[in-house]
Amino acid sequence: MSFADELEANARARFVRWNPDVWKELLAGPAPRLGAALSQSGAPPERSEEVLRAYLNLGAEGIGLGYLYPASAGRQNFFTLAWMDLVPRLLAGVPESARAGTLAQLWNLGENLESTPPWVQRIFHRVSQRLDSLVDIEERLRRTSALAMEPPDRKLGEQAKPVLVDLSREDSRFLPGALHFLSPGVLCVHDRHRKAVAGREAATQGLLLADTVLPLGSMGCREAPEVTHALTPQLSAVAWNDPRVDTWFATVTNDWRAAGTLDTSQHVVVLVPA
């Protein structure tokens, strides 16, 4: 019996949620890609085999715990991204001595994120899609955590620049309505018409308001924010001076950022420090 067969047999016995289809996906694509990349990295074969076995072992554990989703599920989370894409694509670029530790860091983060609000998971997933290296991954992910939870570095002063974000790129039907801050630098925009009913989530989209505004897609937000009109001198100036901006439908502001949705547009206007 091969190592993979032993893992599967043990996992079937241990986990009620074991999903054989996800295991087949892992073995058919990501695992061979990782094995080939490790072999080409110049590491001793026995060390590469050790890392591959650790990857499969943790992958089996993740499937049993329900952290890995099949491609057909249409769901996205950091753990699936890490095990199906990031590790096979980037782990071989990590120095040999740090590969096992990097795997452990990714596992710990993926497991911790499963108990966080959906919007936090969404930020890590979107930001991590852009990763081109797993070197110093702990520091990279610490910066992501800071972007998600901590106030931006600069407050919104008198001089602010508008950024228009087209939310129809994520959802062609999306009509921006009420909006609210989930943290000082994370904005959640609710669809004007598709609200939460009978247990169904409202249609929402998120924006990470860093120096470069990053769309986050659906946020899984279950709040029902009121339409607010927190007009500030900066928002009033934009409405007066920018021909792209017509009547505000809703506006919000804090010390670091301001934003507004428009009566006749699928864009959201975000003000960031100039």
Side-chain angles (χ1 to χ4, degrees):
M1 182 182 286
S2 70
F3 179 71
D5 290 336
E6 288 180 16
L7 278 179
E8 181 175 15
N10 289 335
R12 283 179 181 275
R14 290 175 57 208
F15 297 111
V16 176
R17 299 173 68 181
W18 176 253
N19 188 325
D21 292 334
V22 184
W23 181 243
K24 287 177 184 175
E25 282 185 30
L26 192 72
L27 294 181
R33 289 202 306 272
L34 175 60
L38 292 172
S39 296
Q40 294 168 10
S41 70
E46 62 275 12
R47 296 297 299 274
S48 295
E49 181 69 18
E50 184 180 326
V51 170
L52 182 59
R53 284 177 175 240
Y55 164 80
L56 289 172
N57 190 37
L58 292 172
E61 191 84 6
I63 292 170
L65 293 170
Y67 298 162
L68 265 74
Y69 303 135
S72 59
R75 296 183 65 185
Q76 298 174 323
N77 69 343
F78 177 83
F79 202 102
T80 303
L81 175 68
W83 249 251
M84 296 298 196
D85 174 58
L86 297 180
V87 172
R89 180 165 56 89
L90 300 174
L91 187 64
V94 174
E96 181 193 330
S97 60
R99 288 173 186 167
T102 299
L103 268 183
Q105 289 169 352
L106 292 170
W107 166 271
N108 290 336
L109 175 66
E111 185 171 47
N112 291 338
L113 282 173
E114 289 300 305
S115 59
T116 63
W119 65 270
V120 176
Q121 299 180 37
R122 190 65 180 173
I123 289 173
F124 274 87
H125 184 269
R126 272 294 170 100
V127 171
S128 298
Q129 283 180 308
R130 300 180 169 203
L131 287 174
D132 56 7
S133 173
L134 294 180
V135 175
D136 296 327
I137 188 62
E138 191 169 22
E139 175 57 23
R140 290 168 182 259
L141 296 175
R142 189 204 65 77
R143 290 197 297 268
T144 299
S145 179
L147 285 173
M149 308 304 296
E150 297 174 11
D153 293 336
R154 292 192 295 160
K155 289 190 174 183
L156 192 65
E158 292 183 7
Q159 299 299 317
K161 64 177 181 182
V163 179
L164 268 70
V165 185
D166 183 3
L167 296 188
S168 70
R169 294 183 178 182
E170 297 275 346
D171 178 351
S172 61
R173 297 170 54 209
F174 199 87
L175 186 59
L179 61 176
H180 59 114
F181 287 103
L182 296 171
S183 74
V186 178
L187 184 71
C188 183
V189 186
H190 286 241
D191 187 275
R192 209 171 296 183
H193 303 301
R194 289 178 287 162
K195 305 182 185 301
V197 236
R200 187 184 69 194
E201 290 181 358
T204 57
Q205 289 196 46
L207 296 173
L208 179 61
L209 307 183
D211 291 338
T212 300
V213 177
L214 177 66
L216 299 171
S218 175
M219 297 297 279
C221 179
R222 296 186 178 276
E223 295 187 35
E226 298 292 330
V227 173
T228 56
H229 294 90
L231 283 175
T232 65
Q234 298 97 325
L235 286 168
S236 299
V238 169
W240 182 260
N241 296 317
D242 195 320
R244 300 171 297 175
V245 177
D246 58 15
T247 310
W248 296 116
F249 179 84
T251 58
V252 290
T253 185
N254 61 24
D255 288 342
W256 297 272
R257 300 292 186 263
T261 54
L262 305 169
D263 274 348
T264 58
S265 175
Q266 288 183 284
H267 289 76
V268 169
V269 182
V270 175
L271 296 190
V272 297

